Amino acid sequence: MTSTSRPSPTPTASVDPTEPRWLTPAEQHLWRTFMRMRQQLDAQLARQIQAESDISIADFSVLVVLTDVPEGRVRVLELARNLQWEKSRLSHHLARMVKRGLIERAECTEDGRGSFVVITDAGRRAIEAAAPRHVELVRTLFFDPLSEEQVTQLTQISERILGAMEGCPEALSES
Amino acid sequence: MTSTSRPSPTPTASVDPTEPRWLTPAEQHLWRTFMRMRQQLDAQLARQIQAESDISIADFSVLVVLTDVPEGRVRVLELARNLQWEKSRLSHHLARMVKRGLIERAECTEDGRGSFVVITDAGRRAIEAAAPRHVELVRTLFFDPLSEEQVTQLTQISERILGAMEGCPEALSES
DNA sequence: CCGATCTGGATGACATGTCAACCAAAGAGG
DNA sequence: CCTCTTTGGTTGACATGTCATCCAGATCGG
């Protein structure tokens, strides 16, 4: 999946700058394993939360931010930045969540264009119901298999990659 | 996002088995960083391939498998297993790819129900056009920031987590 | 050979995400 | 003030993913 093997015969030690730097077998293996791992992880977390509660994992993420914040009340763009979602995705999603009664809108008096998102009681109940099993699964699938050392390593690795992306030519989602 | 902080006051050293094992601040930090990292990574790869070629990253993944296989020809379920996609997702996606001329169907004589998927010339051209820049970006974003040691570490980590999921109570996508 | 069941796969309804275009309020700059 | 640009946010069309259901061909037990 999303793979990157050399599709053609093999000019093994090429220094041709027009020839892309194909992945070595070891790199290839990491890339595939990594992708498969994160994909399974996502899928399991999504499936579990969907199956055992009334909300999706996307709802969950939104609600998490809202419970983390004073009065359960945030500006939409603040939310978008926090979640790193495109604003249009967020807009659509918030509309659906309003329809389901998980959140409400509130007018923003300081800025006539803006609007606030507020968590409702139903929303609070929903996330409180979903959270414990979710954390448990995160632990089981992600933390339990790792040693303390590996946790440290993975932290550094993630920070490295993330850091590298922040200064990348490719536009980050418009923030 | 998809967070797991303790939503309430703090019974720090609780051994209550009904109380979920909330994440420590360090774990929390890793979890958030990791999720953000993989999300950015995905987004960038998807955006780039979409912008610079005629295919999506999903198309790309499918085509990769097809170019990896004799005669560019695979059974649908084989493809599903390889990609770890649900069969219905795959079915829909293949239909779209046929419509775009990237692949074709071929009858399966050994098994009357089954069908083969075959890559077309257009499909081959499409992936060959997309691959070099894609690998290059994978390198830039993922491998270049890491030391050799970290590559080794991440390989082990990914294998660990993936391994743990294979024997998990939660159903893996029906394979 | 025959029904019961399993398997490979397609389908429809629906949830979700993306892109581009739009809109109104807020800040410039003159 | 009065345009011009920016910003915060929504919208519609469309691509994609999920779930449940369906269906025909294969297999299995007699």
Side-chain angles (χ1 to χ4, degrees):
Chain A
M1 78 210 39
T2 58
S3 187
T4 45
S5 55
R6 180 174 31 245
S8 13
T10 309
T12 311
S14 165
V15 246
D16 182 352
T18 70
E19 181 70 5
R21 301 175 291 157
W22 299 109
L23 302 185
T24 68
E27 287 168 338
Q28 185 101 195
H29 176 239
L30 168 53
W31 183 242
R32 288 192 189 228
T33 308
F34 176 78
M35 291 304 265
R36 194 174 291 268
M37 176 269 277
R38 63 158 217 55
Q39 178 177 326
Q40 285 286 326
L41 193 54
D42 270 20
Q44 298 248 352
L45 292 173
R47 219 158 332 103
Q48 189 237 22
I49 210 170
Q50 196 108 33
E52 300 182 2
S53 68
D54 303 329
I55 60 180
S56 71
I57 193 146
D59 298 333
F60 186 82
S61 321
V62 171
L63 293 176
V64 163
V65 178
L66 285 172
T67 53
D68 248 13
V69 105
E71 306 177 55
R73 183 165 158 288
V74 214
R75 282 291 291 273
V76 171
L77 260 191
E78 168 70 9
L79 197 51
R81 243 186 324 259
N82 203 310
L83 295 167
Q84 308 215 253
W85 286 9
E86 295 188 10
K87 60 186 185 170
S88 108
R89 173 184 178 187
L90 183 55
S91 194
H92 282 302
H93 200 89
L94 293 179
R96 292 186 294 251
M97 290 182 73
V98 168
K99 211 174 306 177
R100 286 178 227 140
L102 298 170
I103 57 171
E104 288 172 347
R105 308 265 186 181
E107 220 182 320
C108 178
T109 46
E110 308 116 55
D111 187 332
R113 312 162 276 190
S115 86
F116 278 100
V117 180
V118 192
I119 189 171
T120 62
D121 285 352
R124 224 175 267 281
R125 260 177 277 123
I127 189 178
E128 277 166 14
R133 310 261 304 121
H134 180 69
V135 197
E136 201 57 48
L137 191 56
V138 168
R139 243 187 208 302
T140 306
L141 300 184
F142 187 78
F143 286 101
D144 285 351
L146 301 184
S147 68
E148 286 205 22
E149 213 192 339
Q150 287 178 317
V151 168
T152 309
Q153 293 168 356
L154 186 51
T155 303
Q156 286 166 0
I157 289 169
S158 302
E159 281 168 352
R160 273 293 194 90
I161 296 177
L162 196 51
M165 277 187 293
E166 243 113 59
C168 181
E170 314 302 325
L172 301 161
S173 55
E174 45 167 326
S175 48
Chain B
M1 77 210 39
T2 57
S3 188
T4 44
S5 53
R6 180 172 32 245
S8 15
T10 309
T12 310
S14 166
V15 246
D16 182 352
T18 70
E19 179 73 4
R21 300 175 292 155
W22 298 109
L23 301 186
T24 67
E27 288 169 336
Q28 184 100 198
H29 172 77
L30 168 53
W31 183 241
R32 288 191 189 230
T33 308
F34 176 78
M35 291 303 265
R36 195 175 290 269
M37 178 268 277
R38 63 159 217 56
Q39 179 176 326
Q40 284 286 326
L41 194 53
D42 270 20
Q44 298 248 352
L45 291 173
R47 221 161 327 106
Q48 189 238 22
I49 210 170
Q50 195 107 33
E52 300 183 2
S53 69
D54 302 331
I55 60 180
S56 71
I57 193 145
D59 299 333
F60 186 82
S61 320
V62 171
L63 294 176
V64 164
V65 178
L66 285 173
T67 54
D68 249 12
V69 107
E71 306 177 57
R73 183 165 158 289
V74 214
R75 283 291 291 275
V76 172
L77 259 191
E78 168 70 8
L79 198 51
R81 243 187 323 263
N82 202 309
L83 294 168
Q84 310 214 252
W85 286 9
E86 295 188 10
K87 57 185 186 172
S88 110
R89 173 184 178 188
L90 183 55
S91 193
H92 282 301
H93 201 89
L94 293 179
R96 291 186 295 251
M97 290 181 75
V98 167
K99 211 174 306 179
R100 286 177 225 140
L102 298 170
I103 58 172
E104 287 171 350
R105 309 267 185 181
E107 221 184 319
C108 177
T109 46
E110 309 116 56
D111 188 331
R113 315 162 274 193
S115 85
F116 279 100
V117 180
V118 192
I119 189 171
T120 62
D121 285 354
R124 223 174 268 280
R125 260 177 276 123
I127 189 179
E128 276 166 14
R133 310 261 306 125
H134 180 69
V135 195
E136 200 57 50
L137 191 56
V138 168
R139 243 187 209 301
T140 306
L141 299 183
F142 186 77
F143 286 101
D144 285 350
L146 301 183
S147 68
E148 286 205 22
E149 212 192 340
Q150 286 178 317
V151 168
T152 308
Q153 293 168 356
L154 186 51
T155 303
Q156 286 167 0
I157 289 170
S158 302
E159 282 168 352
R160 275 292 194 92
I161 296 177
L162 196 51
M165 276 186 295
E166 244 111 60
C168 181
E170 315 302 326
L172 300 163
S173 55
E174 45 168 325
S175 48

